[in-house]
Amino acid sequence: MWYMIHGIDRDNSLAARQASRPAHLARLQALAEAGRLKLAGPLPAIDAEDPGPAGFTGSLVVAEFEDLAAARAWADADPYLAAGVYARVDVRPFRPVLP
């Protein structure tokens, strides 16, 4: 089943985000290589592809996991969470409809 993982950044998290980004991306790449990643990306704090020092408000991942517990365990092991980038992470079932 598909799950939506929404990490919500704490204030002033840009430096921690940049430092832990390689490890965060490596985990996403592993999901992609396994064919389990539908989409992933950051949520800019301003209306710009590159928000510069404004940073980001969070990240969104939609990926396939065995069940909600597995999705939650994967989210709980995210380097962004360990580095204090995220203040909170929501994990919910997701049902793709379009396209």
Side-chain angles (χ1 to χ4, degrees):
M1 181 160 178
W2 295 98
Y3 294 88
M4 181 273 314
I5 299 169
H6 180 201
I8 299 156
D9 285 20
R10 66 171 171 78
D11 290 340
N12 303 309
S13 63
L14 185 57
R17 177 181 272 273
Q18 290 170 330
S20 53
R21 187 171 188 256
H24 172 79
L25 291 179
R27 295 179 78 236
L28 291 170
Q29 187 61 42
L31 281 178
E33 290 170 3
R36 296 173 40 210
L37 182 65
K38 184 168 271 308
L39 66 91
L43 306 170
I46 61 174
D47 189 13
E49 190 167 323
D50 180 358
F56 301 89
T57 61
S59 301
L60 177 67
V61 175
V62 177
E64 189 174 30
F65 293 94
E66 181 178 318
D67 55 29
L68 183 58
R72 178 87 250 173
W74 188 90
D76 286 347
D78 194 302
Y80 280 177
L81 191 59
V85 174
Y86 294 150
R88 183 174 96 242
V89 179
D90 293 330
V91 180
R92 298 174 189 216
F94 179 80
R95 190 179 68 144
V97 174
L98 293 171

